[in-house]
Amino acid sequence: VIRPLFAANWKMNKQVSEVRAYVQGFIQAALPLEKCEVVVAPPSTHLTTLGSEAQNRVFQIAGQNCGPAASGAFTGEIAPGMLKELGADWVLLGHSERRHVFHEDEALIGKRLSAALSAGLKVIFCVGETLSERKQGTTRAVIEKQLGNLKLAQKGKDLVVAYEPVWAIGTGEVATPEQAEEAHRWIAEWCGAELGQTPRILYGGSVKPENSAELMAQRHVDGLLVGGASLEAESFAAIIRHGVRGWESKVSLMKEVLK
Ligand code: PGA
């Protein structure tokens, strides 16, 4: 049985001094953590603090990106092994802000992916179309091109895909459950055909406590990647609580159907 995964992407937010209160707030929320996996991706400078605060294993920690090699002349980059050294088990790669704000191309993202997997990091690999690509009807082709790099990954078990339509990120405009499900099904089909297995597929883009249950109730939605609404522990916890509920209702429905 796969467990749903809930990931928080803090982006370039928070002071180190806010980290402890966040972890305390998260613990107080008393979530059913045996039923899901939780990952928090803080700015790299907060990894040590967050890691030691979260040591009671309420959640795992992730880098928001990693360098394209094990070491070397890459000013401003952090090697995947360095993230591991600070306690990160995971790394986000190909996030839409990396692709569109910092213009990372497929070749660079591929190098980052190879380096991350060689270092033994688990990867949350982000894909998603822009609004104009969706309007042009090229969503599936765009996603499949972005997924192409995953063929580099032999250790498929360490991979998670996050579908994040660019037009839904930080805009308050969430994809409808049907739009999310359609794209997730495409991703599942592509991975099945090209990789011989289907990783967990997270939805991201304006996820809130009010929409997490409905998104998680979709057949191919295995988790959520949350930006803005993950910055407060209470709100991220509410997303997880409702999300687990949505997930469980789907699972029991599927069991009924399979009877
Ligand atoms: P958002 O960001 O939840 O603020 O839309 C999601 C993301 O960028 O991962």
Side-chain angles (χ1 to χ4, degrees), residues 9 11 95 97 164 168-171 204-207 225-229:
N9 175 10
K11 309 193 180 184
H95 187 274
E97 284 141 27
E164 299 201 299
I169 296 179
T171 59
S206 297
V207 173
L225 176 53
V226 191

mmCIF file of all heavy atoms in Angstrom, residues 9 11 95 97 164 168-171 204-207 225-229, ligand 1:
data_model
loop_
_atom_site.group_PDB
_atom_site.id
_atom_site.type_symbol
_atom_site.label_atom_id
_atom_site.label_comp_id
_atom_site.label_asym_id
_atom_site.label_seq_id
_atom_site.Cartn_x
_atom_site.Cartn_y
_atom_site.Cartn_z
ATOM 1 N N ASN A 9 6.614 23.561 0.598
ATOM 2 C CA ASN A 9 7.702 24.294 -0.041
ATOM 3 C C ASN A 9 7.681 25.720 0.510
ATOM 4 O O ASN A 9 6.820 26.512 0.145
ATOM 5 C CB ASN A 9 7.483 24.274 -1.563
ATOM 6 C CG ASN A 9 8.504 25.117 -2.305
ATOM 7 O OD1 ASN A 9 9.484 25.581 -1.722
ATOM 8 N ND2 ASN A 9 8.271 25.302 -3.603
ATOM 9 N N LYS A 11 9.780 27.990 -0.037
ATOM 10 C CA LYS A 11 10.396 28.951 -0.963
ATOM 11 C C LYS A 11 11.380 29.847 -0.190
ATOM 12 O O LYS A 11 12.036 29.369 0.734
ATOM 13 C CB LYS A 11 9.327 29.744 -1.708
ATOM 14 C CG LYS A 11 8.290 28.803 -2.335
ATOM 15 C CD LYS A 11 7.383 29.443 -3.331
ATOM 16 C CE LYS A 11 6.423 28.373 -3.864
ATOM 17 N NZ LYS A 11 5.556 28.874 -4.922
ATOM 18 N N HIS A 95 11.279 22.759 -10.197
ATOM 19 C CA HIS A 95 10.142 23.591 -9.771
ATOM 20 C C HIS A 95 9.897 24.699 -10.794
ATOM 21 O O HIS A 95 10.832 25.207 -11.415
ATOM 22 C CB HIS A 95 10.414 24.208 -8.394
ATOM 23 C CG HIS A 95 9.217 24.910 -7.854
ATOM 24 N ND1 HIS A 95 8.940 26.222 -8.165
ATOM 25 C CD2 HIS A 95 8.202 24.476 -7.075
ATOM 26 C CE1 HIS A 95 7.794 26.565 -7.579
ATOM 27 N NE2 HIS A 95 7.334 25.520 -6.914
ATOM 28 N N GLU A 97 9.358 27.767 -10.584
ATOM 29 C CA GLU A 97 10.137 29.008 -10.426
ATOM 30 C C GLU A 97 11.573 28.820 -10.909
ATOM 31 O O GLU A 97 12.187 29.745 -11.430
ATOM 32 C CB GLU A 97 10.069 29.480 -8.963
ATOM 33 C CG GLU A 97 8.718 30.118 -8.662
ATOM 34 C CD GLU A 97 8.160 29.788 -7.297
ATOM 35 O OE1 GLU A 97 8.926 29.510 -6.361
ATOM 36 O OE2 GLU A 97 6.906 29.798 -7.169
ATOM 37 N N GLU A 164 2.349 20.585 -11.213
ATOM 38 C CA GLU A 164 2.031 21.930 -10.756
ATOM 39 C C GLU A 164 1.802 22.844 -11.951
ATOM 40 O O GLU A 164 2.764 23.372 -12.529
ATOM 41 C CB GLU A 164 3.191 22.498 -9.921
ATOM 42 C CG GLU A 164 3.483 21.694 -8.674
ATOM 43 C CD GLU A 164 4.238 22.534 -7.651
ATOM 44 O OE1 GLU A 164 5.351 22.987 -7.941
ATOM 45 O OE2 GLU A 164 3.684 22.753 -6.573
ATOM 46 N N ALA A 168 -1.452 28.018 -11.740
ATOM 47 C CA ALA A 168 -2.112 27.820 -10.442
ATOM 48 C C ALA A 168 -1.176 28.089 -9.271
ATOM 49 O O ALA A 168 -1.604 28.096 -8.119
ATOM 50 C CB ALA A 168 -2.648 26.391 -10.349
ATOM 51 N N ILE A 169 0.104 28.324 -9.556
ATOM 52 C CA ILE A 169 1.072 28.479 -8.473
ATOM 53 C C ILE A 169 1.069 29.909 -7.942
ATOM 54 O O ILE A 169 1.343 30.853 -8.678
ATOM 55 C CB ILE A 169 2.488 28.093 -8.934
ATOM 56 C CG1 ILE A 169 2.519 26.608 -9.300
ATOM 57 C CG2 ILE A 169 3.509 28.403 -7.839
ATOM 58 C CD1 ILE A 169 3.862 26.125 -9.788
ATOM 59 N N GLY A 170 0.700 30.031 -6.675
ATOM 60 C CA GLY A 170 0.736 31.332 -6.008
ATOM 61 C C GLY A 170 -0.310 32.310 -6.522
ATOM 62 O O GLY A 170 -0.259 33.494 -6.216
ATOM 63 N N THR A 171 -1.254 31.828 -7.309
ATOM 64 C CA THR A 171 -2.236 32.726 -7.920
ATOM 65 C C THR A 171 -3.590 32.664 -7.232
ATOM 66 O O THR A 171 -4.456 33.490 -7.491
ATOM 67 C CB THR A 171 -2.475 32.326 -9.397
ATOM 68 O OG1 THR A 171 -2.949 30.967 -9.425
ATOM 69 C CG2 THR A 171 -1.209 32.448 -10.209
ATOM 70 N N GLY A 204 0.190 20.298 -7.058
ATOM 71 C CA GLY A 204 0.583 21.552 -6.415
ATOM 72 C C GLY A 204 0.051 22.746 -7.181
ATOM 73 O O GLY A 204 -0.078 22.723 -8.409
ATOM 74 N N GLY A 205 -0.245 23.815 -6.461
ATOM 75 C CA GLY A 205 -0.770 25.036 -7.075
ATOM 76 C C GLY A 205 -1.994 25.500 -6.330
ATOM 77 O O GLY A 205 -3.083 24.968 -6.521
ATOM 78 N N SER A 206 -1.802 26.475 -5.412
ATOM 79 C CA SER A 206 -2.895 27.059 -4.640
ATOM 80 C C SER A 206 -3.696 26.029 -3.830
ATOM 81 O O SER A 206 -4.914 26.152 -3.682
ATOM 82 C CB SER A 206 -3.808 27.886 -5.539
ATOM 83 O OG SER A 206 -3.085 28.972 -6.098
ATOM 84 N N VAL A 207 -2.991 25.032 -3.297
ATOM 85 C CA VAL A 207 -3.650 24.090 -2.380
ATOM 86 C C VAL A 207 -3.916 24.808 -1.057
ATOM 87 O O VAL A 207 -3.071 25.555 -0.566
ATOM 88 C CB VAL A 207 -2.759 22.851 -2.125
ATOM 89 C CG1 VAL A 207 -3.361 21.963 -1.045
ATOM 90 C CG2 VAL A 207 -2.554 22.067 -3.421
ATOM 91 N N LEU A 225 1.742 19.196 -2.960
ATOM 92 C CA LEU A 225 2.915 20.046 -2.747
ATOM 93 C C LEU A 225 2.391 21.460 -2.517
ATOM 94 O O LEU A 225 1.725 22.027 -3.383
ATOM 95 C CB LEU A 225 3.844 19.983 -3.970
ATOM 96 C CG LEU A 225 5.082 20.882 -3.974
ATOM 97 C CD1 LEU A 225 5.935 20.708 -2.730
ATOM 98 C CD2 LEU A 225 5.942 20.578 -5.218
ATOM 99 N N VAL A 226 2.671 21.993 -1.346
ATOM 100 C CA VAL A 226 2.008 23.215 -0.902
ATOM 101 C C VAL A 226 3.013 24.334 -0.683
ATOM 102 O O VAL A 226 3.989 24.160 0.050
ATOM 103 C CB VAL A 226 1.246 22.957 0.422
ATOM 104 C CG1 VAL A 226 0.349 24.142 0.747
ATOM 105 C CG2 VAL A 226 0.450 21.661 0.356
ATOM 106 N N GLY A 227 2.785 25.470 -1.295
ATOM 107 C CA GLY A 227 3.647 26.639 -1.102
ATOM 108 C C GLY A 227 3.089 27.556 -0.033
ATOM 109 O O GLY A 227 3.214 27.311 1.165
ATOM 110 N N GLY A 228 2.414 28.617 -0.462
ATOM 111 C CA GLY A 228 1.922 29.655 0.449
ATOM 112 C C GLY A 228 1.200 29.134 1.680
ATOM 113 O O GLY A 228 1.469 29.582 2.804
ATOM 114 N N ALA A 229 0.303 28.178 1.489
ATOM 115 C CA ALA A 229 -0.502 27.697 2.613
ATOM 116 C C ALA A 229 0.268 26.743 3.532
ATOM 117 O O ALA A 229 -0.271 26.249 4.516
ATOM 118 C CB ALA A 229 -1.778 27.019 2.102
HETATM 119 P P1 PGA B 1 1.417 27.638 -3.939
HETATM 120 O O1 PGA B 1 2.835 27.075 -4.474
HETATM 121 O O2 PGA B 1 0.837 26.571 -3.053
HETATM 122 O O3 PGA B 1 1.767 28.887 -3.184
HETATM 123 O O4 PGA B 1 0.575 27.882 -5.126
HETATM 124 C C1 PGA B 1 2.999 25.733 -4.821
HETATM 125 C C2 PGA B 1 4.424 25.473 -5.234
HETATM 126 O O5 PGA B 1 5.030 26.352 -5.870
HETATM 127 O O6 PGA B 1 4.994 24.406 -4.953
#
